């Protein structure tokens, strides 16, 4: 392992200094919650009897004072392909726990919505807020104070950040995240996207589109493109919260089952009852968070994590800023090409060497904190190894020293690009972020007249009427968290892609989200302050020239400053977005949520304000 890169060391130290007051208060709080012996014996006899009343053969162990109890928080449901494989996990975990002198109980379930199902629909306006609901539901599950370690069963977009936020609130408990893996490869993402674009141009039928989508999303497991769900899995591994090499082993295989059992054994070993007590609140420190940001840059991960990692860090008393992402992106090279940043899927990535090769390459180049604590022990070195079953069916780990496909995964000395491809943009239109890892070089700067929309459907209708056949910057505003919950705007990618392929210079500017699938379209997203919060997007008018410069890191309206200052703020009637499909129940979230730069969270308002003063 090489000496740590000076910029990574500098950014980490800056985060440590900035976070000192909030981090110290957090650690004091979780240390106060630590105890000796099993946690359930803090309960009175009546409380304890309730806790094991339905536990059958495990009752005797739960009555005792030396048997650790592993809590299971599950996001299983039948509809979400990534989470459907979790159905048998609780019984598998209970059986594995008994083999090592422990017991396990399902502590609770959390909602798990599929953004693929709600994309472009009213339900998508609840999607980001579901992260907070998941965190609160997990807190309810763990509030019984009867568990000595926790296994988190979650994979997809908002589920893992919500589970991790809650886990950090219960930071005295050892916690391991247990994945279920990606679906086996189906129709390639490139072929699927071509059918989507043909459909957007009226050259493919709905039946042809449905056939393509069904061939791409066809089995249990995560979708195979590298969006937020698979970025989550990368993060849990590079942050040391998965077992080594566990992220991308496909569901319903012997190896997957062996890794799940090993996670149970390890969770029992790191409780306060053993010699390796590893509370998650101490494990996830400033270095761990920086490692997560580095992994995001090195793999071209989802822009949603510029929200999620900020929110998660704050749950541990750590103040992470967009400037930290920007500084790290400048020195962390892009080592992976996985769709939409390439043609490969996550199975190809895993087969090429996957997370073990990626982590090893970063360590060798001094681009990763190797001295962190993980659920597997001290240091990141074990994460250079890939799990496998030997001839006897025993779980073993083998070191990965080379990539088997340099078109998918490269060493740090031969990167796909010298930087991570995530940039922060600043200017008179506010603060925003852009993912440029798959944006063509000649599209990195777009200067064109703005075409303003207050709803994504307005833009789609304009495209269908043939009104957007020119150079333009499409501005889709009033999409932020306070306005309508900050939905993803993936439906805009195909028409913008059509315009770009026809030779027009186009870009998107929005206070909404685009996730990990914005692809080749330059998109300034997460614009903050958002339009409804007196943000500058509300001052833009049709025809204003907007310059998006991903090279210089700027986003500017080319309007005379005096005229700009005098302009009134636009307003929009958003009432149609505030009721129906459960949206009326989330008014409190819209009223309380913070901005994109602080993680779009309703938690820790006082900490947010304090951090702003640091």
């Amino acid at each position: 392992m090489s000496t740590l890169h000076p910029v990574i060391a500098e950014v980490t130290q800056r985060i440590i200094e900035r976070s000192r007051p909030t981090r110290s208060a957090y650690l004091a709080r979780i240390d106060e919650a630590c105890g000796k012996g099993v946690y359930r014996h803090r309960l009175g006899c009546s409380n304890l009897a309730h806790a094991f009343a339905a536990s059958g053969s495990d009752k005797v162990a739960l009555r005792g004072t030396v048997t650790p109890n592993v809590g299971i928080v599950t996001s299983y449901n039948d509809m979400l392909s990534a989470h459907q494989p979790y159905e048998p996990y609780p019984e598998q975990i209970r059986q594995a726990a008994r083999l090592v002198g422990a017991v396990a109980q399902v502590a609770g379930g959390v909602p798990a919505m599929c953004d693929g199902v709600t994309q472009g629909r009213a339900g998508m306006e609840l999607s980001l807020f579901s992260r907070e609901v998941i965190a609160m539901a997990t807190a309810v599950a763990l509030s019984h104070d009867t568990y000595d370690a926790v296994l988190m069963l979650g994979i997809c977009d908002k589920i893992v950040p919500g589970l991790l936020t809650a886990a950090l609130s219960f930071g005295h408990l050892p916690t391991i995240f247990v994945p279920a893996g990606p679906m086996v490869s189906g129709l390639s993402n490139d072929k699927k996207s071509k059918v989507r674009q043909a459909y957007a141009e009226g050259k493919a039928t709905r039946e042809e589109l449905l056939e393509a989508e069904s061939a791409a999303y066809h089995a249990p497991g995560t979708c195979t493109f590298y969006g937020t769900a698979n970025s989550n899995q990368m993060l849990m591994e590079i942050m040391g919260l998965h077992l080594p090499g566990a992220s991308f082993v496909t569901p319903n295989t012997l190896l997957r089952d062996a890794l799940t059992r090993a996670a149970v054994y390890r969770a029992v070993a790191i409780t306060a009852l053993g010699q390796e007590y590893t509370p998650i609140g101490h494990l996830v420190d400033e270095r761990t968070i920086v490692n997560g940001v580095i992994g995001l840059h090195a793999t071209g991960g989802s822009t949603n994590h510029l929200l999620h990692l900020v929110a998660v860090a704050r749950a541990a008393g750590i103040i992470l800023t967009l400037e930290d992402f920007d500084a790290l992106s400048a020195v962390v090279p892009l080592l992976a090409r996985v769709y939409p940043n390439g043609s490969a899927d996550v199975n190809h990535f895993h087969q090429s060497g996957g997370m073990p090769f990626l982590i090893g390459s970063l360590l060798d180049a001094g681009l990763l904190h190797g001295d962190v604590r993980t659920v597997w022990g001290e240091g990141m070195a074990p994460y250079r190894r890939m799990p496998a079953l030997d001839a006897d069916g025993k779980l073993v780990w083998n070191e990965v020293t080379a990539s088997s496909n340099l078109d998918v995964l490269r060493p740090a000395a031969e990167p796909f690009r010298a930087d991570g491809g995530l940039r922060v943009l600043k200017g008179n239109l506010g603060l925003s972020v852009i993912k440029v890892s798959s944006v063509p070089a000649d599209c990195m700067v777009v200067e064109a007249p703005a075409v303003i929309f207050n709803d994504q459907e307005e833009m789609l209708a304009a495209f269908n009427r043939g009104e957007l056949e020119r150079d333009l910057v499409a501005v889709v505003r009033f999409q932020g968290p306070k306005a309508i919950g900050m939905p993803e705007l993936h439906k805009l990618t195909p028409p913008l892609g059509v315009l770009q392929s026809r030779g027009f210079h186009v870009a998107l500017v929005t206070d909404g989200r685009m996730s990990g699938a914005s692809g080749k379209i330059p998109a300034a997203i997460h614009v903050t302050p958002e339009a409804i919060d007196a943000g500058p997007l509300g001052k833009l008018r049709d025809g204003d020239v907007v310059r998006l410069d991903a090279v210089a890191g700027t986003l500017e309206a080319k309007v005379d400053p005096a005229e700009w200052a005098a302009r009134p703020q636009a307003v929009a009637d958003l009432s149609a977005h505030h009721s129906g499909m459960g949206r009326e129940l989330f008014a409190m979230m819209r009223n309380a949520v913070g901005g994109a730069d602080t993680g779009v969270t309703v938690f820790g308002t006082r900490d947010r304000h304090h951090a702003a003063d640091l």
Side-chain angles (χ1 to χ4, degrees), residues 306 322 423-427 429-434 509-510 523-528 548 554-555:
L306 279 84
L322 294 181
R423 307 275 171 80
V424 173
L425 304 179
K426 298 178 181 179
L429 288 178
L431 184 70
S432 62
V433 297
I434 186 171
V509 175
T510 181
I525 59 176
H526 306 178
V527 176
T528 185
L548 187 163
T554 58
L555 181 65

Side-chain angles (χ1 to χ4, degrees), residues 186-199 204 208-209 211-213 215-216 339 342-343:
L187 181 73
S188 74
N189 288 296
D190 273 346
K191 290 180 180 178
K192 174 196 68 183
S193 292
K194 287 176 182 176
V195 179
R196 284 182 176 177
Q197 187 159 317
Y199 181 75
E208 288 170 330
L209 179 60
E211 183 61 29
E213 299 285 0
Y339 187 87
S343 59

Side-chain angles (χ1 to χ4, degrees), residues 50-338:
H50 278 82
F52 61 66
S55 295
S57 61
D58 289 329
K59 275 189 177 183
V60 173
L62 286 165
R63 287 176 65 108
T65 59
V66 295
T67 303
N69 185 19
V70 178
I72 305 165
V73 179
T74 178
S75 55
Y76 158 74
N77 65 44
D78 284 329
M79 180 274 300
L80 186 51
S81 65
H83 290 217
Q84 185 275 339
Y86 281 136
E87 184 174 14
Y89 273 45
E91 182 54 30
Q92 293 172 5
I93 290 168
R94 283 190 283 266
Q95 291 177 10
R98 291 172 190 138
L99 292 176
V100 289
V103 291
Q105 295 178 302
V106 173
V110 300
M113 69 184 294
C114 179
D115 287 2
V117 174
T118 59
Q119 200 63 243
R121 309 285 297 170
M124 174 53 73
E125 294 174 18
L126 307 184
S127 175
L128 187 51
F129 289 143
S130 77
R131 184 190 68 189
E132 319 298 81
V133 174
I134 289 160
M136 291 187 288
T138 304
V140 171
L142 299 180
S143 66
H144 297 97
D145 199 22
T146 62
Y147 306 107
D148 305 295
V150 184
L151 295 177
M152 297 291 190
L153 311 186
I155 289 177
C156 283
D157 297 18
K158 265 58 65 185
I159 297 106
V160 165
L163 292 171
L164 183 51
T165 295
L168 291 167
S169 288
F170 289 78
H172 61 290
L173 293 176
T175 302
I176 298 178
F177 281 71
V178 183
M183 66 177 69
V184 295
S185 300
L187 181 73
S188 74
N189 288 296
D190 273 346
K191 290 180 180 178
K192 174 196 68 183
S193 292
K194 287 176 182 176
V195 179
R196 284 182 176 177
Q197 187 159 317
Y199 181 75
E201 294 180 274
K203 297 177 181 178
T205 66
R206 176 181 168 84
E207 185 58 33
E208 288 170 330
L209 179 60
L210 181 57
E211 183 61 29
E213 299 285 0
S214 300
Y217 308 118
H218 65 104
T222 55
C223 309
T224 58
F225 71 91
Y226 194 53
T228 311
N230 287 315
S231 296
N232 278 337
Q233 302 315 294
M234 177 279 299
L235 283 170
M236 292 304 94
E237 189 156 337
I238 206 166
M239 292 171 70
L241 295 170
H242 274 175
L243 266 59
S247 295
F248 299 119
V249 175
T250 51
N252 305 318
T253 60
L254 293 175
L255 179 55
R256 179 82 273 161
D257 292 345
L259 285 164
T260 300
R261 289 192 297 272
V264 181
Y265 304 155
R266 187 61 189 165
V268 173
I270 61 176
T271 67
L273 300 172
Q275 300 303 308
E276 297 182 73
Y277 177 45
T278 310
I280 189 172
H282 280 276
L283 184 160
V284 176
D285 63 12
E286 294 88 347
R287 297 166 302 163
T288 307
I289 294 294
V290 168
N291 279 357
V293 176
I294 290 166
L296 192 68
H297 291 319
T299 59
S302 169
T303 53
N304 275 329
H305 287 295
L306 279 84
L307 306 174
H308 297 324
L309 276 172
V310 170
V312 163
R314 285 166 188 259
I318 298 167
I319 309 302
L320 179 68
T321 70
L322 294 181
E323 287 74 18
D324 298 326
F325 283 90
D326 203 43
L328 291 169
S329 181
V331 299
V332 177
L334 181 68
L335 305 185
R337 283 284 190 200
V338 186

